[in-house]
Amino acid sequence: MDSPQNNQQLGRTTNRLALYQQQISPAPHTKDSNPKKPTSMAARDPITCHCLNTLSGTPAANLPVTLTLLSTPTSTSSNISFRATTNADGRVANWTPVGTASESVPAILAALPAVDSKTNWSVRFDVGPWYEAQGVESFWPEVEVKFTVKGRGREGEEGWRHYHVPVLLGPWNYSTYRGS
């Protein structure tokens, strides 16, 4: 016989499955939709990141992050920096210049001399103070990922590429890869 407790559990499971289905099902296309239309630059910069807290299994929200241009084809010591704080989903889509820097990440990449120009960057997650504020001991004061960006331009133009740096973060370990 079905108990009220079993019926409640079945109802919760059915609701969760419906939510998952909504998340994984593609949105219906309307007559005006254009799936190849590029996202506007205001929506995201060409370099983005995402951090998940593996200790809790949740996004690493409110985590301070610094993006630094380490070198360009014409210089090995640019060190132009940008700051951001991860959103509720643990993501950074746009960067704010630090100090005297006035150019945006898209503007720096658009000004490169060739469509296949290479620049070296670093993204640093300030994890020590972030974990400490949660009362969690962390081995890492910061986690820094260095990577090379090849390309320039504006989204939808020749030479443009999107670089996404995801980090799976724990107080004793981390891993990263080139995302999409």
Side-chain angles (χ1 to χ4, degrees), residues 82-175:
F82 303 86
R83 294 283 293 163
T85 302
T86 57
N87 65 16
D89 196 32
R91 296 177 184 274
V92 170
N94 299 101
W95 301 94
T96 302
V98 172
T100 59
S102 61
E103 289 188 283
S104 65
V105 175
I108 289 170
L109 293 174
L112 292 172
V115 295
D116 61 350
S117 292
K118 290 183 180 179
T119 51
N120 293 316
W121 297 81
S122 153
V123 63
R124 187 186 74 229
F125 300 86
D126 297 329
V127 300
W130 183 78
Y131 268 127
E132 186 177 314
Q134 299 173 55
V136 175
E137 183 182 357
S138 174
F139 182 67
W140 314 108
E142 59 189 34
V143 168
E144 184 175 33
V145 180
K146 294 181 180 181
F147 56 98
T148 300
V149 168
K150 182 180 176 187
R152 67 155 190 199
R154 301 195 190 294
E155 190 165 359
E157 295 178 359
E158 180 185 7
W160 187 90
R161 295 181 185 178
H162 177 241
Y163 287 82
H164 185 66
V165 182
V167 171
L168 301 175
L169 172 67
W172 309 107
N173 65 318
Y174 70 91
S175 64

Side-chain angles (χ1 to χ4, degrees), residues 18-29:
L19 287 171
Y20 291 138
Q21 183 64 36
Q22 287 175 352
Q23 293 295 317
I24 62 174
S25 295
H29 292 289

